[in-house]
Amino acid sequence: MKRILFTLLIISIGLQTTAQTNKKELDKEAIKKMCGCFEVTFNFAETFNYSNDSLYKPSKNKVSKGLEWAQLVIDKENQIEIQHLLQVGSPEQPMIVKHWRQNWLYENTNLYSYNADNVWTYESKSADEVAGQWTQKVYQVDDSPRYEGSATWVHVDGKSYWENTANAPLPRREYTTRSDYNLTVRGNRQEITPYGWVHDQDNSKVVRTANQEDQVIAKEKGYNTYKRVDDSKCAAAAQWWVDNQEKWALVRTKWDEVYNKNKDLHLEQKVDNKVLYKHLFGEGYEDQESINQLIESFVKE
């Protein structure tokens, strides 16, 4: 009887391991389906107003379109990294804009949570908390932090999706025009669709003040669709990455050094009256030493 029970236990463990492996492969397949060339439409609309200010003006609806090339940068057992590049303007002479980057890590325990006013709080999770989960780390155009969260990919009824709520800075479309809130609480859902994928958002615009309860002043809906098209349409963006990837690998190397300190992170808004991406998008930062010095100048000790 003991031998039978032991055999059944071994079989059960083997089946669980196989199921976990198969599930992980489905996760990786879903993540990599976000790579390629897409016609993207960004839609944002403020939906509810909770402000006590009678003069409060909601943000206008925002709709923009373009081509986006999502380049697979890293494809490892427990890490998948994708760099997004916008391709805008005329097809004959398109302009390429380095866009956001997403880094997916399996069962990752180290996270940074945005805490308003350009401060990210380091958080360490237990292995049990993140078992079977993927962390999506999202970075700004200069590879500085934006937001990140851990959750489980779900594959059910023919759908594959991942959803999480995370604190983030104001998006660029807002921080250039709004100063009445300092934190976005983002409800993010990435869902793979027959035509590509969707980034579905339910966001809260929040005022965070030390030693006070957070105040939600408005809600926002974001619905960004990525319609897959032939990769040839994004040839200019793909070539831009070939030509520029070495520089941005150096930038990521320095930022990884900063993140791997596993402590709270406070960044300057500007140095020499310029934000970080304007420095990096310009000339003069092509080698590791100059990039290191620049990024260090933005990190407050």
Side-chain angles (χ1 to χ4, degrees):
M1 177 61 74
K2 289 183 178 180
R3 181 175 295 177
I4 293 173
L5 291 174
F6 179 75
T7 301
L8 290 174
L9 177 62
I10 294 299
I11 292 173
S12 176
I13 292 172
L15 290 174
Q16 290 177 16
T17 302
T18 300
Q20 290 171 353
T21 301
N22 292 340
K23 166 65 168 54
K24 184 179 178 183
E25 290 305 311
L26 285 175
D27 297 347
K28 293 170 68 176
E29 180 182 344
I31 293 169
K32 286 190 282 189
K33 283 183 177 179
M34 290 188 279
C35 296
C37 186
F38 301 91
E39 290 178 349
V40 59
T41 301
F42 303 103
N43 292 276
F44 292 94
E46 197 165 298
T47 53
F48 299 101
N49 172 11
Y50 301 103
S51 175
N52 295 322
D53 184 355
S54 60
L55 300 178
Y56 177 83
K57 292 184 178 180
S59 298
K60 294 180 180 180
N61 290 1
K62 178 73 172 179
V63 179
S64 58
K65 298 183 178 183
L67 278 173
E68 183 139 317
W69 175 248
Q71 172 71 49
L72 182 63
V73 177
I74 295 175
D75 184 7
K76 296 181 179 179
E77 180 62 28
N78 294 317
Q79 180 185 15
I80 299 171
E81 188 163 65
I82 304 169
Q83 175 64 59
H84 291 252
L85 302 168
L86 274 175
Q87 182 174 308
V88 295
S90 68
E92 295 77 20
Q93 291 184 313
M95 181 175 68
I96 310 304
V97 180
K98 183 177 180 292
H99 207 194
W100 60 297
R101 174 168 62 98
Q102 50 176 328
N103 188 20
W104 293 86
L105 299 173
Y106 186 66
E107 296 185 340
N108 165 66
T109 58
N110 299 314
L111 294 96
Y112 283 90
S113 177
Y114 189 65
N115 195 34
D117 303 324
N118 240 27
V119 176
W120 285 260
T121 302
Y122 171 73
E123 297 180 357
S124 178
K125 293 183 176 291
S126 69
D128 288 343
E129 287 180 284
V130 299
Q133 295 187 351
W134 288 84
T135 295
Q136 184 203 39
K137 293 176 176 276
V138 172
Y139 302 91
Q140 316 220 52
V141 297
D142 50 26
D143 289 313
S144 60
R146 185 151 183 77
Y147 64 88
E148 51 195 72
S150 183
T152 303
W153 272 91
V154 176
H155 311 284
V156 64
D157 295 338
K159 295 181 179 181
S160 292
Y161 63 89
W162 178 98
E163 55 188 7
N164 175 263
T165 300
N167 294 342
L170 275 62
R172 186 171 302 156
R173 61 190 154 77
E174 289 279 275
Y175 76 67
T176 55
T177 59
R178 300 283 295 266
S179 59
D180 54 344
Y181 73 103
N182 60 351
L183 176 69
T184 305
V185 178
R186 300 175 58 111
N188 294 298
R189 177 184 173 108
Q190 265 86 4
E191 181 171 344
I192 309 304
T193 68
Y195 61 80
W197 60 284
V198 170
H199 186 188
D200 191 358
Q201 303 171 47
D202 289 290
N203 304 328
S204 297
K205 301 179 179 183
V206 175
V207 177
R208 175 165 290 181
T209 306
N211 303 317
Q212 295 187 30
E213 186 176 348
D214 286 354
Q215 178 189 356
V216 179
I217 64 169
K219 295 278 190 177
E220 175 189 69
K221 182 67 179 179
Y223 196 77
N224 303 335
T225 57
Y226 291 75
K227 182 180 179 182
R228 186 177 297 279
V229 295
D230 192 274
D231 285 357
S232 62
K233 288 192 173 184
C234 291
Q239 185 59 50
W240 187 96
W241 184 250
V242 171
D243 296 339
N244 293 274
Q245 60 181 327
E246 290 185 7
K247 170 181 177 175
W248 292 101
L250 299 178
V251 174
R252 293 195 305 274
T253 294
K254 179 56 183 178
W255 274 121
D256 286 345
E257 178 186 312
V258 173
Y259 301 139
N260 289 338
K261 292 179 181 179
N262 293 341
K263 65 179 185 178
D264 294 354
L265 181 60
H266 189 184
L267 300 181
E268 299 280 4
Q269 291 281 2
K270 294 182 179 181
V271 171
D272 295 332
N273 205 34
K274 286 201 299 187
V275 294
L276 178 57
Y277 78 86
K278 288 191 175 182
H279 285 281
L280 286 172
F281 284 8
E283 297 181 354
Y285 299 100
E286 310 298 333
D287 61 275
Q288 191 73 73
E289 183 178 357
S290 62
I291 289 170
N292 288 355
Q293 291 177 354
L294 175 64
I295 293 175
E296 287 169 2
S297 71
F298 276 84
V299 178
K300 292 185 178 182
E301 296 296 336

